């Protein structure tokens, strides 16, 4: 019996492994241009085509740079970013939401320090950059910072006989009753995605807790103050009024006409608690691309009687452009360009968000958004969404438990204890 | 006789792929499960078996495990009689036989995600086709919708899964029916057996090996159930439809607790392996006894 060499077999194994390991350096394209990859979540018009235009304008001024734009749906983008960070192949320019998430990325050495290279722009943006600073260094440039509030259909509210928007929760209870009495569903909420439901609890906490308690909780992860419990009780009271759309437990946030945003955009509910991106989202959800258009109104989260929070404090957050650690210098230039007066003005004119560059705040056309900007700029502080501030692990546990309260399967105490347990596991 | 080198030569490509895409991920998952890891950066925070203890004490995971068992049992209980009945019917000479077989089989060919998206739209509360149809004929529909009511969501998912996978059962049973020797059937008919008696005493018993293999496939599929649940409910409402797979994806990609997700995936692997081996030993052994070694 002939013993043939084992080499051919090994060669095959090596070849198939080699195929998988084969990678390529993607920082320069075939024609010698510097490639900058850019991921954003404006996957509907007008945002999508505006960003394509922005990239082309930048390329025209920088002939040696090639911007590779990828527009994705928000949740898809987050999943892909996670995978990209794990594989160490992150896009050069991407979105950071600040808080605990950013701190984790900075710890892992994934995000570039922009403090020096973008000092001019950072100076211009002023206090807005605070949410994207770790140890006094700025790691991302916020391009849209907004606050959460109630979006409503003016015509539906008028039909229900609501002429002045509620400013306290007692008035809000009356408003809900009035809309219900008129045979309409008052509120939609995407509890299927959990975070839209969680916003209610967050905002009740902002109303019930003093700023000191909240600021402290973000760093100490201590939720023993009584105000967190009261936030849950306020929410329990609201859920008990049954103000939400049918099927809210499985309703999505903003994907398609049957989502919470879609229900508002198509006139199926009167109000929705949602972030500043709502008009842009709704535009993508109606056939005419207008959303509710002029019929859209906004009012801030009502105040809670006896709450220790500042009545003008707001819950919000924003999105910032960050540059990954290994990105070429052109990526930093591009991010600076994205925050320039010109791009921010175009951004504002298209109602894509709430610009942070003061030169652009006047360009916001939508009256509802313009009103929202006033609330944002008048707020003594804007509390970052808790799930972002605490990071995914604590934030996720918190959101899950809040969603359970919406399903009548958790108590205000459970929310505090589940959050505290997840926080203790972090320590 | 083949030489060892020849065997190795022909086996090595498949072996390499198997090592790369099956064994390697399992080894990595086992490694991740021993660390507290956020998904990026180095593996440095060794925690031993703590992640396993966290998962096994987690009420959501325990619920997920029981939901998986519910789907395993529910799929077999619903699909076995239905599949048998449809296969026996389609095995008779009837007009439009080919068309009927195709109709039954189409859902199985459809990608699970696509089927799930279609059903998600049909099952929308109030505005969806199912609710409109049911309330049109006076059947009361749940306020929160079929997928939004914690006590109905898992049943709804099970029924959609049955719709989706009945085709596979029917196809396998039909193939098995071709193996039932015609002369035995004819002999029984000559002895005066009715159609029902032939099915009951000849066809179904001879279909045994096919049924046992189908139960095995269905069981493993149910344990790993992910796509349908993820699209239809995402595990909600109130964790009433979580499966082990949705639990680990939620812990991993949503919460960035990759160590815990890895521990859950290892547990899922062990559970599936246990079920598979136990079934092989207890049930399938008689079917494979005569097979080549």
């Amino acid at each position: 019996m002939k013993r043939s060499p084992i080499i051919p077999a090994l060669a095959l194994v090596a070849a198939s492994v080699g195929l998988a390991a084969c990678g390529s350096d993607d920082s320069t394209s075939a024609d010698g241009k510097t490639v900058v990859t850019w991921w954003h979540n404006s996957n509907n018009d007008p945002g999508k085509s505006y960003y394509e235009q922005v990239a082309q304008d930048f390329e025209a001024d920088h002939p040696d740079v090639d911007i590779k734009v990828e527009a994705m749906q928000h949740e898809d983008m987050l999943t892909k970013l996670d995978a990209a960070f794990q594989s160490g192949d992150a896009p050069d320019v991407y979105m950071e939401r600040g808080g605990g998430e950013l701190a984790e990325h900075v710890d892992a050495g994934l995000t570039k320090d922009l403090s020096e290279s973008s000092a001019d722009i950072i100076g211009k943006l002023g206090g807005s950059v605070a949410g994207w600073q770790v140890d006094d260094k700025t790691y991302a440039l916020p391009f849209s910072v907004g606050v959460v509030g109630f979006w409503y259909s003016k015509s539906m509210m008028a039909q229900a006989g609501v002429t002045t928007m509620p400013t306290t929760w007692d008035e809000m209870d009356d408003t809900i009753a009035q809309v219900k009495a008129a045979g309409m569903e008052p509120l939609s909420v995407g509890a299927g995605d959990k975070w839209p439901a969680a916003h209610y609890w967050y905002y009740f906490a902002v109303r019930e807790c003093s700023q000191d308690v909240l600021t402290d909780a973000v760093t100490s992860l201590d939720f023993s103050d009584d105000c967190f419990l009261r936030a849950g009780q306020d929410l329990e009271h609201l859920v008990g009024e049954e103000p939400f759309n049918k099927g809210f437990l499985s309703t999505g946030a903003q994907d398609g006409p049957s989502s919470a945003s879609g229900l508002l955009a198509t006139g199926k509910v009167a109000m929705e608690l949602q972030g500043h991106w709502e008009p842009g989202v709704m535009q993508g959800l109606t056939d005419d691309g207008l959303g509710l258009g002029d019929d859209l109104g906004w009012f801030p989260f009502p105040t809670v009687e006896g709450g220790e929070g500042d009545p003008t404090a707001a819950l919000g957050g924003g999105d910032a452009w960050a540059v990954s650690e290994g990105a070429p210098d052109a990526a930093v230039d591009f991010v600076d360009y994205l925050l320039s007066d010109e791009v921010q003005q175009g951004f504002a004119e298209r109602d894509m968000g709430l610009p942070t560059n003061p030169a652009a705040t006047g360009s916001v056309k939508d009256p509802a958004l313009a009103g929202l900007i006033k609330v944002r700029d008048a707020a003594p502080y804007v509390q970052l969404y808790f799930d972002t501030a605490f990071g995914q692990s604590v934030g996720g546990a918190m959101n899950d438990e809040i969603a359970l309260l919406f399903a009548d399967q958790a108590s205000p105490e459970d929310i505090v204890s589940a959050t505290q347990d997840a926080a203790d596991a972090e320590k | 006789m083949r030489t060892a080198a020849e065997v190795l030569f022909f086996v090595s490509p498949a072996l390499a792929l198997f090592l790369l895409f099956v064994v390697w991920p399992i080894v990595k998952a086992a490694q991740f499960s021993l660390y507290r890891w956020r998904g990026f950066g180095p593996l440095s925070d060794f925690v031993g078996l703590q992640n396993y203890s966290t998962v096994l004490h987690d009420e959501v995971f325990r619920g997920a495990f029981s939901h998986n068992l519910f789907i395993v049992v529910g799929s077999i209980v619903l699909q076995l009689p239905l599949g048998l009945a449809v296969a026996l019917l389609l095995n008779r000479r009837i007009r439009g036989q080919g068309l009927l077989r195709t109709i039954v089989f189409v859902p199985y060919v459809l990608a699970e995600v696509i089927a799930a998206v279609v059903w998600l739209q049909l099952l929308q509360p109030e505005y969806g086709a199912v609710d409109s149809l049911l309330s049109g004929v006076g059947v009361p529909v749940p306020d929160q919708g079929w997928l939004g009511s914690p006590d109905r969501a898992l049943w709804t998912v099970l029924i959609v899964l049955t719709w989706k996978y009945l085709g596979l059962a029917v196809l396998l049973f039909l193939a098995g029916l071709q193996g039932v020797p015609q002369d035995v059937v004819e002999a029984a008919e000559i002895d005066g057996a009715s159609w029902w008696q032939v099915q009951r005493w000849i066809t179904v018993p001879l279909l045994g090996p096919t049924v046992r293999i189908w139960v095995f496939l269905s069981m493993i599929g149910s344990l790993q159930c992910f796509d349908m649940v993820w699209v239809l409910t995402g595990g909600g409402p109130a964790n009433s439809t979580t499966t082990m797979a949705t639990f680990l994806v939620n812990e991993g990609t949503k919460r960035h607790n990759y160590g815990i997700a890895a521990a859950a995936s290892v547990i899922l692997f062990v559970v599936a392996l246990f079920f598979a081996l136990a079934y092989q030993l207890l049930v399938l052994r008689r079917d494979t006894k005569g097979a080549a070694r």
Side-chain angles (χ1 to χ4, degrees):
Chain A
M1 199 168 74
K2 195 183 87 177
R3 282 205 162 267
S4 55
I6 209 163
I7 292 162
L10 280 180
L12 258 173
V13 175
S16 45
V17 172
L19 267 178
C22 195
S24 63
D25 180 17
D26 57 359
S27 64
T28 50
S29 67
D31 49 5
K33 285 185 180 178
T34 308
V35 175
V36 173
T37 48
W38 176 31
W39 290 7
H40 68 73
N41 67 348
S42 295
N43 60 330
N44 288 323
D45 271 336
K48 193 177 178 205
S49 42
Y50 177 61
Y51 275 160
E52 271 159 24
Q53 186 58 47
V54 166
Q56 281 166 19
D57 291 349
F58 184 81
E59 284 169 352
D61 287 344
H62 301 74
D64 54 338
V65 178
D66 180 14
I67 308 275
K68 282 224 159 69
V69 191
E70 274 194 66
M72 327 176 196
Q73 196 263 338
H74 181 70
E75 266 83 14
D76 290 349
M77 185 184 74
L78 299 185
T79 314
K80 283 184 188 155
L81 268 178
D82 286 344
F85 283 134
Q86 277 168 42
S87 67
D89 192 21
D92 298 321
V93 176
Y94 68 96
M95 259 173 65
E96 275 287 359
R97 293 177 297 179
E101 277 174 41
L102 174 68
E104 280 168 18
H105 293 159
V106 170
D107 272 355
L110 298 166
T111 309
K112 210 178 208 143
D113 176 8
L114 302 175
S115 317
E116 308 261 306
S117 48
S118 304
D120 289 353
I121 299 271
I122 292 170
K124 222 176 197 178
L125 298 178
S128 326
V129 296
W132 288 267
Q133 287 177 325
V134 180
D135 298 334
D136 292 331
K137 289 180 186 149
T138 307
Y139 288 89
L141 308 180
F143 59 92
S144 177
V145 171
V147 296
V148 172
F150 282 99
W151 298 95
Y152 66 93
S153 155
K154 289 178 189 166
S155 57
M156 287 179 78
M157 292 293 256
Q159 206 183 319
V162 180
T163 45
T164 50
M165 294 307 136
T167 56
T168 67
W169 268 97
D170 290 339
E171 290 173 23
M172 184 69 178
D173 291 346
D174 296 341
T175 304
I176 288 171
Q178 244 176 309
V179 176
K180 271 185 131 174
M184 295 180 283
E185 290 188 323
L187 293 161
S188 64
V189 61
D193 280 335
K194 294 173 185 166
W195 59 264
H199 279 178
Y200 278 95
W201 189 87
Y202 300 170
Y203 227 139
F204 277 124
V206 168
R207 291 281 177 258
E208 291 284 6
C209 301
S210 69
Q211 184 177 2
D212 290 346
V213 170
L214 288 180
T215 322
D216 208 44
V218 173
T219 47
S220 67
L221 296 178
D222 175 8
F223 300 93
S224 57
D225 196 286
D226 184 48
C227 66
F228 292 109
L229 199 58
R230 274 182 281 134
Q233 288 160 351
D234 293 340
L235 179 56
E236 201 172 37
H237 170 76
L238 172 66
V239 174
E241 290 176 18
E242 300 188 351
F244 299 113
N245 62 294
K246 277 188 185 167
F248 64 89
L249 289 177
S250 56
T251 302
Q254 48 195 28
D255 213 3
S258 56
S259 65
S261 300
L263 290 174
L264 181 64
T266 53
K268 301 271 184 359
V269 298
M271 297 174 274
E272 187 199 0
L273 181 72
Q274 194 49 282
H276 56 278
W277 53 81
E278 185 71 353
V281 169
M282 288 200 297
Q283 282 162 9
L285 294 177
T286 55
D287 289 339
D288 56 11
L290 293 176
L292 277 183
D294 293 340
D295 191 34
L296 182 66
W298 186 87
F299 64 90
F301 197 85
T303 56
V304 175
E305 198 155 326
E308 288 154 24
D310 188 314
T312 54
L315 175 80
D319 299 318
W321 297 123
V323 178
S324 59
E325 190 54 59
D329 290 342
V332 179
D333 296 341
F334 182 60
V335 165
D336 286 350
Y337 176 67
L338 286 175
L339 267 297
S340 65
D341 298 358
E342 174 198 349
V343 174
Q344 279 262 287
Q345 277 161 7
F347 176 81
E349 281 161 13
R350 284 164 185 78
D351 291 330
M352 289 165 65
L354 297 180
T356 47
N357 185 330
T361 42
S363 305
V364 176
K365 278 196 305 190
D366 188 297
L369 278 179
L372 195 152
I373 271 201
K374 280 198 197 105
V375 172
R376 176 191 82 182
D377 292 344
Y381 71 98
V382 174
Q383 171 61 47
L384 185 61
Y385 315 113
F386 290 147
D387 51 357
T388 312
F390 296 141
Q392 280 103 332
S393 184
V394 180
M398 190 179 227
N399 289 359
D400 279 6
E401 209 65 25
I402 297 170
L404 283 180
L405 188 143
F406 272 75
D408 203 15
Q409 301 205 353
S411 66
E413 290 82 6
D414 291 338
I415 296 176
V416 176
S417 61
T419 309
Q420 192 65 63
D421 288 351
D424 291 345
E426 289 276 282
K427 282 174 188 167
Chain B
M1 203 178 105
R2 295 195 184 109
T3 66
E6 270 171 343
V7 171
L8 193 62
F9 177 80
F10 286 109
V11 165
S12 59
L15 197 65
L17 289 175
F18 180 74
L19 287 174
L20 192 64
F21 292 111
V22 180
V23 177
W24 178 241
I26 294 173
V27 171
K28 283 307 267 187
Q31 186 196 0
F32 291 155
S33 71
L34 301 175
Y35 290 84
R36 182 149 67 172
W37 187 51
R38 314 287 298 159
F40 36 74
L43 281 178
S44 52
D45 195 355
F46 185 81
V47 293
L49 296 177
Q50 194 198 316
N51 287 333
Y52 289 91
S53 140
T54 308
V55 170
L56 291 173
H57 286 98
D58 192 321
E59 267 176 51
V60 178
F61 185 79
R62 290 179 180 191
F65 182 70
S66 71
H67 300 151
N68 274 116
L69 290 186
F70 176 85
I71 295 173
V72 168
V73 175
S75 295
I76 292 170
V77 168
L78 284 178
Q79 290 176 32
L80 182 58
L82 265 177
L84 263 181
V86 174
L88 289 175
L89 279 177
L90 288 181
N91 202 35
R92 307 181 84 179
R93 263 179 230 287
I94 41 173
R95 275 155 69 93
Q97 194 183 37
L99 183 70
L100 285 173
R101 285 184 180 185
T102 313
I103 290 174
V104 172
F105 196 57
V106 157
Y108 179 69
V109 181
L110 219 59
E112 190 161 328
V113 174
I114 296 172
V117 169
V118 170
W119 276 99
L120 181 65
Q121 294 309 322
L122 291 175
L123 288 167
Q124 282 304 322
E126 227 177 337
Y127 311 110
V130 172
D131 274 17
S132 313
L133 218 75
L134 287 178
S135 44
V137 294
V139 178
V141 293
D143 255 9
Q144 286 285 345
W146 298 97
L147 293 170
S149 320
D151 48 347
R152 289 193 179 83
L154 192 58
W155 279 98
T156 311
V157 169
L158 180 67
I159 286 165
V160 176
L161 281 171
T162 303
W163 170 86
K164 174 83 174 69
Y165 285 101
L166 188 63
L168 176 69
V170 171
L171 186 85
L172 284 176
F173 296 163
L174 274 174
L177 287 173
Q178 308 309 310
V180 174
Q182 211 49 43
D183 43 357
V184 185
V185 174
E186 276 164 18
E189 276 168 353
I190 288 167
D191 285 345
S194 71
W195 186 80
W196 283 109
Q197 283 170 323
V198 171
Q199 309 309 326
R200 170 67 188 83
W201 299 107
I202 295 172
T203 317
V204 172
L206 284 173
L207 211 52
T210 316
V211 171
R212 286 191 285 274
I213 279 289
W214 169 79
V215 167
F216 181 74
L217 293 175
S218 169
M219 190 174 75
I220 297 301
S222 302
L223 283 174
Q224 297 173 341
C225 181
F226 174 73
D227 313 29
M228 189 65 85
V229 174
W230 194 248
V231 177
L232 285 181
T233 65
N239 298 323
S240 60
T241 58
T242 44
T243 64
M244 288 187 278
T246 65
F247 174 87
L248 77 91
V249 170
N250 195 41
E251 281 292 337
T253 58
K254 294 265 164 168
R255 291 206 198 168
H256 287 206
N257 293 330
Y258 283 94
I260 290 176
S265 73
V266 171
I267 292 170
L268 169 56
F269 172 71
V270 170
V271 167
L273 192 70
F274 170 79
F275 268 75
L277 289 179
Y279 194 80
Q280 293 268 6
L281 272 177
L282 298 175
V283 183
L284 284 183
R285 203 160 51 159
R286 54 174 158 167
D287 295 331
T288 50
K289 221 183 273 169
R293 302 273 143 185

